[in-house]
Amino acid sequence: MSSRRLPLWAGWLLALAVAAACASLGAWQLQRMHAKQAQVDAAAQVLADRRADPLSAAADPASARGYRWSAGEGAFLPLPAVLLDNQNRGGRAGVHAYRVFQPRAEHATPLLVDLGWLPLPGDRRLPDVPRPPATRVAGLLAPPPSPGLVAPVLEAQADGTLLAVVLEPAAVADALGLPALAPRVLRLDPDLPMGYARDLEVLANTLPPERHLGYAVQWFALSAAVLVIALLLTLRARRRR
């Protein structure tokens, strides 16, 4: 009984398809690297300048994905805290605590203020996040943490606190009964005497540009390896003939 072998042309079509798929994934990783490096550079420039915009800039839809330093007066609203789950810091699991701040300017859209990170105990008992008495805030206006492929699910706790796996301002506004929330959040200045452990790292809990570059190199190397293997198999088959 003779075995049926894949024709050389069919084998090359398969190899080219696999190599192209690997190269495409490598190119996507390079795109992610450049996009994240642009985020890091933009935030670094804003932090170096620290020219404060009014808090109303958080509601500007044209700048929803950008970074600005912002400061202003107002008050934290008597609404439940919002806790963003699955936030790691120093190798520990925890949450980021958010509270809604209403700028003093007339008709200003309220915004979420990131008060910082809190650890979760082994039983995952959620921390208490009292409403700060502060009437002035300052920090980095930034897009909410990247949602990835997770749906914006909000779980209301017994005390009204909202536990989120994705921070989507529109969904949070609806859950809190607000007409709207600004599309950007305020990353509270770590020097201010309120809140919890925090920094202004823009790529926390996500891959840095260097990791995307490493993955891109791996995908391109795999693409090249597939073609080399196809070539070696072709030469071997011709020698047998």
Side-chain angles (χ1 to χ4, degrees):
M1 182 177 178
S2 61
S3 60
R4 299 182 61 183
R5 293 184 178 180
L6 194 68
L8 286 179
W9 64 267
W12 268 103
L13 284 179
L14 178 60
L16 290 173
V18 173
C22 293
S24 177
L25 288 171
W28 178 76
Q29 289 289 351
L30 283 181
Q31 291 174 356
R32 295 295 296 150
M33 179 199 72
H34 290 305
K36 288 191 174 181
Q37 189 60 54
Q39 285 182 269
V40 172
D41 294 342
Q45 184 63 51
V46 170
L47 293 176
D49 295 339
R50 296 211 176 196
R51 291 195 296 267
D53 285 345
L55 294 174
S56 57
D60 182 7
S63 304
R65 304 307 302 173
Y67 299 91
R68 296 299 300 172
W69 190 258
S70 183
E73 296 183 343
F76 285 94
L77 297 180
L79 294 170
V82 180
L83 302 180
L84 181 60
D85 204 357
N86 301 321
Q87 302 298 296
N88 296 318
R89 184 182 177 90
R92 298 182 64 189
V95 295
H96 262 261
Y98 292 81
R99 279 280 188 174
V100 178
F101 189 84
Q102 177 63 62
R104 184 168 294 176
E106 188 177 2
H107 305 307
T109 303
L111 71 156
L112 288 167
V113 174
D114 182 358
L115 298 174
W117 177 89
L118 288 164
L120 283 183
D123 60 2
R124 285 188 55 83
R125 180 170 51 86
L126 298 179
D128 182 37
V129 182
R131 179 163 61 104
T135 58
R136 181 175 177 82
V137 295
L140 181 68
L141 285 179
S146 177
L149 301 177
V150 182
V153 177
L154 291 165
E155 295 182 3
Q157 308 301 302
D159 63 351
T161 298
L162 296 179
L163 182 63
V165 292
V166 172
L167 195 69
E168 174 53 59
V172 174
D174 185 62
L176 294 176
L178 293 171
L181 279 170
R184 285 190 287 183
V185 302
L186 185 77
R187 305 275 302 275
L188 196 63
D189 186 349
D191 293 335
L192 292 179
M194 65 172 128
Y196 313 103
R198 60 187 186 273
D199 54 46
L200 297 178
E201 169 61 51
V202 297
L203 295 180
N205 291 284
T206 187
L207 296 178
E210 296 78 11
R211 290 286 296 276
H212 286 288
L213 177 60
Y215 288 142
V217 170
Q218 292 178 14
W219 282 116
F220 288 135
L222 184 57
S223 177
V226 169
L227 295 178
V228 169
I229 291 172
L231 178 60
L232 292 176
L233 291 177
T234 299
L235 295 176
R236 180 181 176 184
R238 287 181 176 178
R239 281 199 300 269
R240 286 180 175 179
R241 290 180 182 178

